[in-house]
C-alpha cells in the first residue's frame, strides 16, 4: 500500500535510492521448478544499461545483479527471489546543489512536499530512473515464466522527437539502435538527437508493446480489467504520460461498425474463434481475447535539460539552476526494457490468477 | 483480487448483473462524521441515468439507490456504507439469442472463455455498462468527502464523433447536453449524432477530467504513482481505450525545455511554490504538485451497432447477429459521471493515505 | 484494509448494523459452475438463528437471506455473489440509554473512541453479534465449494461453563442441543445454564473445529501460515479470546520426542505419507499435512449480564446500567456455525491459492 | 498474497533461506523523519542471536545487519528500508541427508508437497527459524516508531518445560537468562534443561507479551480486530501453537459478571475512562481500550530431537533419521524478541491506520 509493491499473486517489492548502497527487489509468488540464473536477469539489465547509445548518459554502471534467495540447484523453489544491484559509480557531489533547489520537471519538490522535507536528494533518490533496474530484473523472471507457456513480449520505439515509424517490425527492434521498430528511421532519429544535443535540449517519444500468443481469459472484471492492470503498471514508470490500447485515441474517432472486430469461425475443430481485425488491442470487456495485446505509451522528454532554468529553492526563493550530472538525452531507448518488464509482470500475474480457477 | 474491489483505505466492492435482482456496492473506509444522505448519491446517479439525451437508450431505469448501512442520524459512522439499486425495467427476452451468439465488440466471448462457459448472458451480465451505476453512487460519497477539504472534480466531453472543442469550459459542462465542454459544439454534435443514427452506426469521443485545488503530496512512489492509480481506475471503465495526463501524447513530441514546468516563488509567505505552466498535468514523479490534475480519456464507439454483423456462436459456427435491445448511440455523455466517480475514489483514497503519515 | 473485507482469492466483504435497514455481504472469487441456491445459505443461517435453544435470546429474526447477484440458472458465474438479510424484528427503543452510557464488556466505548464519537449505538451497531450472519451465509458457499473436493468442516461445543466433554463426537454435534460434542454432557450443561440464569449471569465455553480430508500443501509461508490465516479468521469473531492448534497450550508442556508426529509409509503406492499421531493439528511449518486440522477456541461469557453494573457515560461521569434488550446467556451454541463459516472461508481461499501454482 | 509480506500501511516483505547467500527484508511505509541506524536493528538482533544461553545451539552467526536504503543523514525518508543479513556460518553438509528424508516435526514434508518436490532442504531452507531474523530487524524499526508516541512492548518467558512463573516482572525479563519473567524460576529451568539435554530431548514453553501505553481506538472492525491482527502475526511465527488474550482460555470458564471489566470515571478532566480490571487484555470489540494489551503464546518443543526417529523418505519408504546439525534445546528464549517484533509491527501498522482517519 505505501506504493513499493506491485502485483497480486506475482508480487514485486522494490527498494533503493540512486546514490544509496544498493537497489533491488523481492519477487514473491514465482512457481517452483522454473530454471533460473543470474544470467537471465543480467541479460535484460544489460539492455537497460546506461552508456551504450546515442541518447545515453556517460554514467557507466555495471548494474551487476546478485540473487540472494529463492533459487536452489538452478531452479526456483516457490519462495521469494531477492536480488541486489550495488550502486558503484556515484558522483554524489554532482548533486550537492539539489539539497536546496527544486529541479523543474523532477520529483524534487513533490517528494519534499509529501515527506515533510525529508528526502535523499542525491540523483533524485528514490525517484531516480535507476529504480527501474529492479523492475527489469524482476520482469526477466516473469518473462521466463511466460515463455514456458509460449507467451512472448515485444517492444520497440515507434516515435522519437516527433518522427514516427510507418511500418513496424517489433521482433527486430531489440537488435537496432534506439530499439527502433523500423530500420529506416534510425538515420532520421540520429539527426534529431544531434540537433537536440546541439540545442541543449532533450527528446521524448512513443513505445509500442505487444504481447503475443497470450491465452484468452486473462484479466479480471470489473476493476482489474487487463487494460487497467497494464495501465497501472506502465503508467507507474517515470516519464510515461499516456497509454492507449489497440486503436486507442483513434478509436474515439472511429464508428462502431468500423471499430468492432468481427469474430471468425475457429481455424480447426476445438480451437477458439478468431477475429477479422484487432482494433481492440487484444481485449474485450477487459479480458484477453487471445489476439495480440497492443499498447502504445507516450514518454515525455528528459527533464534534465542541460541549460539554465528558472526555479525556486526550499525556502521559496526564486533562483536558477543548471543541472550537472550525467543524463540521458531521451528516455528512449532505455525505457523499452522497463516497459517490457512491467508488461511481463502484469501478464504473468493475470495468468496465475486465471490458473486459480482450475 | 478477483477484481470487484477497488482502492486501499477507501475501498469499493461492487456486485450485480444487468438483469439480476439488483446491483450495488459497499464503500468501506469513509471516515466518521460526514453528512450523507441517499439524495447525495441519487443526484449523481440521475446524471448517469439513461433515457435523457440525444445519444441515449430508451430503456428507462429509475435507478433509485437505497443505503443499507454505515449512516446514523444523517452522518457516516466509519463503518461500511452499502447501497442497492434494484433492477426494475428489464426486457430479458431481448437477449435470448445471446445465450449462444457472441456479439462483436462485447465481452460475451471473453467471459465465456474466462469462466469456462458459465455466464449470465442477459444484457451483458456483469460486463454491462449498468455496473457503473455502483461506481457513480460510491463516487458521490468520495466527492463529498473531498469537497470538505475543498477538492473539486470537473469533467466534460471534449470530442464526439471526431468533432472536438477548441475552448474548454469544464465548470459549465454539467448543465449542457452531452456534458459538452463548450456550448458551441453542441449543434455540430447533434448533426453528427443524427447522421450516425441514420446510418445505423455509433460514435466515440474524448472526455477531459480535472481535479482542482488538490493538495500537493498525494500519490505513492514507486508503483502507486497518482497517474498509475488514476490510470487503473479510469481504464477499468468499459469503453475506455486510452488515457493521457497533462500534455500526454503531445508531450512525447515536445522538448524538455518546453515541457518542463518552471517553478515560481510562492505568492505569499509560507505558501507552496507555483508553476509557470502545467504541461505535466499536476504531478511530478507521480506525486501531486498542487496544480490541477488534467486528464483525457478515449472512449470507443458503442459496440451495439444496430445492423447485421458477422460473428460466431458458442459452437464456433459462423453466423450473423442483429442486436436487439435498447442501446445508447454513444457512451458520451453517460460515461462522464462514471469517470468523475472513479477520479473521486482515487483522490480520496490517496488523501487518506497521505493523512496516515501524520 | 479498513477491516470489513477478509480473504485473498476468495474475498468476503460484509456490511450492516444491528438495527439498520439490513446486513449482508459480497463474496467475490467463487469459481464458476458451482450449484448454489438461497437454500444452501439459509440452512446454515438457520443453525445460527436466535430463539431456538436454552441459551438463546427471545429476539426472533427470520434472518431470510436474498441473493442479489452472481448466480444464473442455479450456478455460480464467477462474478461476486451479494446477499442481503433484512433487519425486521427490532426494538430500537430498548437501546436509547446506550446513546450515552458505555456497557461493560461491549465495544460501546472503543467504537466511540475510535470513530471520534460517531456511532450507531442501537444494539451494538456494527459491533453486534448480528454481523456474523453475513459470515455464516458466505461460509455456506465456501463449504459447498470445499465439499466438491471432499473437504468437510466439523465443529462442536466441547466445554460450557467450565464443564468439559471427555469424549468427542463432532459429526453428531450438529444434531444436539448446544451443538454439544458429546451427548452425555447436555444434562450437566442444562443445569449450569439454569443456575446461571437464576443468578443473573452468563457463561462462556470452548468450541472445537476440525477440517477433514484437507489436501496437503495448503497455507503460505512465511506470514500466511495456515495457522496464522485460521487464527486471523477465528479471532476476528467477537467473544473469541484464544485459539490453539493440535495440542496447543499442552504442546508447550510436552517434549519434542512426544510432540513430534512420526511419519509413516503411505498406505498404497503413490499416496502421501501418513502419520503415527496428530499432535500438530494437521500442519507443519504452517502448511497442511493432509491430516485433520484440529483447533479449539475460547469463547468468553456474554457481556450483557442481566444485573446492574457500574460504568461511566460519554461525559466520563460514573453511573450504573442495567442492560435491557434480549440477549443470549452464552455465545454457545450460536457461535459454532460462525466458526465453521470462517474456517471454510480460510480453507477455500488457501485451496484457490494452491491451485494457482498449477 | 504468496505469504512473504505482512501488514497494510507498514508492510514487511522478507526473503531468504537458512543456507542461501543471505536473508533480509524490506520494510515499507515507515514515516519520514525517524532517527534510525543499523545499531537500532543490531541491538534487537543480538538478543535473538544463537550461541548465548543454556538452550542455545552452538552455531554462532554474527547476524550483522546492513541497511541498503530508506535512510539519509541518519533519518528515514519515507521510502522502503531494505536490510540484508549475510549467511556466514553454514555447515551445509550437515544437511545432505535431508535431500531425501523428511524430519518429523519439521516442514520438510509439507514444503515438498506444496512446491511439487522443489525445495532448498538445507537447514530447513525458507522454513528455518533463521527466517525470523528479518522479522526482528523490522520489528526494531516498528518499536522505535512506537516509542515516539510512548508505546512500549514487553515480553518474557513465563513457562518452560511445564514450570511456570507465579509472579511476573516483564520489564526485568530482558536482563535475565531465558528472558525469564521471574528471577526465581531460573534455577528450576536450568535443572529442567539439563535433564532434557541428558535425556536427548527438547522443551517448549509459554511467552507473555504486553503492550503498554497503547492508545485507545486501534484495530479495525470486523475482520481486522486487533486480536485478529496480533493473532495472525504471532501465529505466523514457527513453533507457536496457540495464543490467548487477557484471561484467554480461563475466560471461557468465567462468568459474565466476573469477566466484564467495569469502567471507571477518568482520573482527570478530559481523560478517557479507566477500568477496574483487565480481563479482556486491553481490547473490546477488537479495538484497543487504552489498557495494556496482554497476550500469551504457546511454543512447542524444538522438533530437532537429538535421537533416532522413525520417518519416511521422498519415495515413501520407511526409514530412521538421527538429526545432525546444531540445534537449540528450546525455542525459548530466542523466540521472545521475534514475538516482540511481530507485536510491534502489528501495533505500529494499526496506529498508522488510525492516523488516516485524521
Amino acid at each position: 500500500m505505501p506504493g513499493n509493491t506491485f502485483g497480486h499473486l506475482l508480487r514485486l517489492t522494490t527498494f533503493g535510492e540512486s546514490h544509496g548502497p544498493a537497489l533491488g527487489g523481492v519477487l514473491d509468488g514465482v512457481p517452483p521448478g522454473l530454471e533460473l540464473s543470474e544470467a537471465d536477469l543480467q541479460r535484460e539489465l544489460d539492455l537497460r544499461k546506461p552508456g551504450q547509445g546515442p541518447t545515453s548518459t556517460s554514467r557507466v554502471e555495471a548494474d551487476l545483479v546478485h540473487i540472494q534467495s529463492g533459487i536452489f540447484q538452478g531452479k526456483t523453489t516457490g519462495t521469494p527471489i531477492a536480488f541486489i544491484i550495488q550502486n558503484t559509480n556515484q558522483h554524489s557531489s554532482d548533486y550537492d546543489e539539489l539539497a536546496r533547489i527544486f529541479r523543474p520537471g523532477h520529483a524534487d519538490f513533490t517528494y519534499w512536499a509529501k515527506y515533510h522535507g525529508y528526502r535523499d536528494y542525491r540523483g533524485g533518490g528514490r525517484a531516480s530512473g535507476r529504480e527501474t533496474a529492479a523492475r527489469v530484473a524482476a520482469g526477466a523472471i516473469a518473462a521466463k515464466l511466460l515463455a514456458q507457456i509460449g507467451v512472448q513480449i515485444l517492444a520497440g520505439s515507434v516515435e522519437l522527437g516527433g518522427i514516427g515509424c510507418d511500418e513496424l517490425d517489433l521482433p527486430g527492434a531489440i537488435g537496432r539502435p534506439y530499439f527502433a521498430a523500423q530500420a529506416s528511421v534510425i538515420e532520421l532519429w540520429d539527426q534529431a538527437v544531434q540537433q537536440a544535443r546541439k540545442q541543449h535540449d532533450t527528446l521524448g517519444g512513443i513505445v509500442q508493446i505487444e504481447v503475443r500468443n497470450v491465452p484468452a481469459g486473462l484479466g479480471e472484471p470489473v476493476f482489474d480489467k487487463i487494460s487497467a492492470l497494464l495501465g497501472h503498471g506502465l503508467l507507474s514508470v517515470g516519464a510515461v504520460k499516456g497509454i492507449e490500447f489497440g486503436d486507442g485515441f483513434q478509436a474515439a474517432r472511429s464508428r462502431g461498425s468500423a471499430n468492432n472486430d468481427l469474430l471468425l469461425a475457429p481455424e480447426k475443430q476445438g480451437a477458439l474463434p478468431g477475429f477479422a481485425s484487432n482494433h481492440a488491442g487484444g481485449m474485450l470487456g477487459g479480458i484477453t481475447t487471445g489476439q495480440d495485446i497492443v499498447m502504445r505509451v507516450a514518454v515525455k522528454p528528459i527533464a534534465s535539460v542541460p541549460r539554465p532554468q528558472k526555479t525556486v529553492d526550499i525556502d521559496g526563493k526564486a533562483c536558477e539552476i543548471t543541472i550537472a550530472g550525467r543524463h540521458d538525452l531521451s528516455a528512449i531507448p532505455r525505457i523499452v526494457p522497463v516497459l517490457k518488464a512491467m508488461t511481463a509482470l502484469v501478464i504473468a500475474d493475470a495468468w496465475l490468477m486465471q490458473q486459480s480457477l482450475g
Side-chain angles (χ1 to χ4, degrees), chain A:
Chain A
M1 286 240 348
N4 297 283
T5 296
F6 184 78
H8 298 121
L9 291 179
L10 185 68
R11 180 174 275 197
L12 173 63
T13 299
T14 70
F15 62 86
E17 278 76 38
S18 175
H19 288 64
L23 55 85
V26 184
L27 186 66
D28 199 5
V30 179
L34 179 71
E35 278 191 39
L36 195 72
S37 70
E38 284 174 351
D40 292 314
L41 283 64
Q42 195 63 53
R43 200 177 310 118
E44 286 300 310
L45 279 168
D46 288 350
L47 294 176
R48 182 207 158 273
K49 200 164 63 174
Q52 52 184 6
T55 61
S56 188
T57 168
S58 59
R59 173 176 177 177
V60 183
E61 290 270 3
D63 275 357
L64 290 178
V65 69
H66 297 286
I67 291 177
Q68 305 295 313
S69 64
I71 314 276
F72 183 60
Q73 298 178 336
K75 288 191 173 149
T76 59
T77 60
T79 61
I81 302 169
F83 50 87
I84 298 268
I85 300 163
Q86 302 294 332
N87 285 324
T88 53
N89 189 309
Q90 303 167 340
H91 294 198
S92 295
S93 59
D94 285 355
Y95 296 101
D96 279 355
E97 197 178 28
L98 302 188
R100 293 190 43 79
I101 301 186
F102 301 129
R103 291 170 299 170
H106 281 279
D108 300 348
F109 163 64
T110 53
Y111 270 60
W112 177 85
K114 179 173 193 64
Y115 293 120
H116 308 168
Y118 298 98
R119 67 195 170 100
D120 180 348
Y121 50 77
R122 298 168 302 167
R126 182 73 179 137
S128 162
R130 258 191 84 58
E131 160 265 319
T132 60
R135 304 180 187 231
V136 170
I141 304 173
K144 195 151 191 205
L145 187 59
L146 289 171
Q148 282 197 318
I149 56 163
V151 177
Q152 197 189 1
I153 296 166
L154 301 174
S157 310
V158 298
E159 192 175 311
L160 180 69
I163 302 165
C165 300
D166 46 26
E167 260 183 17
L168 301 191
D169 166 38
L170 285 189
I174 212 76
R176 298 192 191 105
Y178 309 101
F179 300 138
Q182 186 178 22
S184 58
V185 293
I186 294 172
E187 202 182 316
L188 298 171
W189 288 2
D190 278 339
Q191 293 166 8
V193 165
Q194 283 162 29
Q195 192 185 26
R197 194 180 303 278
K198 214 178 298 170
Q199 295 170 346
H200 302 286
D201 220 329
T202 61
L203 297 177
I206 295 178
V207 176
Q208 180 151 330
I209 308 107
E210 298 189 9
V211 188
R212 304 211 169 158
N213 202 27
V214 66
L218 305 193
E220 302 294 320
V222 178
F223 296 113
D224 289 345
K225 292 186 166 78
I226 199 75
S227 44
L229 296 173
L230 287 164
H232 191 146
L234 296 175
L235 289 164
S236 80
V237 178
V240 173
K241 299 301 289 182
I243 184 167
E244 57 181 9
F245 299 86
D247 288 359
F249 278 85
Q250 277 311 315
R253 286 139 198 159
S254 182
R255 288 188 162 195
S257 61
N259 187 63
N260 282 348
D261 301 306
L262 302 184
L263 286 87
L264 303 176
E267 297 199 347
K268 51 182 177 184
Q269 188 77 13
L272 291 176
F275 289 86
S277 53
N278 189 10
H279 299 292
M283 58 198 70
L284 283 171
I287 316 288
T288 55
T289 59
Q291 292 182 281
D292 293 347
I293 298 177
V294 179
M295 308 174 274
R296 274 171 305 283
V297 305
V299 180
K300 74 171 187 177
I302 289 282
S304 290
V305 181
R307 60 165 84 174
Q309 293 179 93
K310 287 188 198 306
T311 185
V312 301
D313 67 16
I314 59 175
D315 297 324
K317 279 217 291 232
C319 59
E320 205 175 77
I321 189 168
T322 302
I323 294 171
R326 298 148 294 164
H327 300 284
D328 290 345
L329 188 137
S330 174
I332 306 252
R334 290 181 60 203
I335 203 171
V336 174
V338 181
L339 298 170
K340 279 178 67 176
M342 292 311 296
T343 302
L345 288 166
V346 169
I347 300 298
D349 192 15
W351 175 67
L352 290 173
M353 275 298 299
Q354 185 64 6
Q355 272 208 305
S356 75
L357 290 188

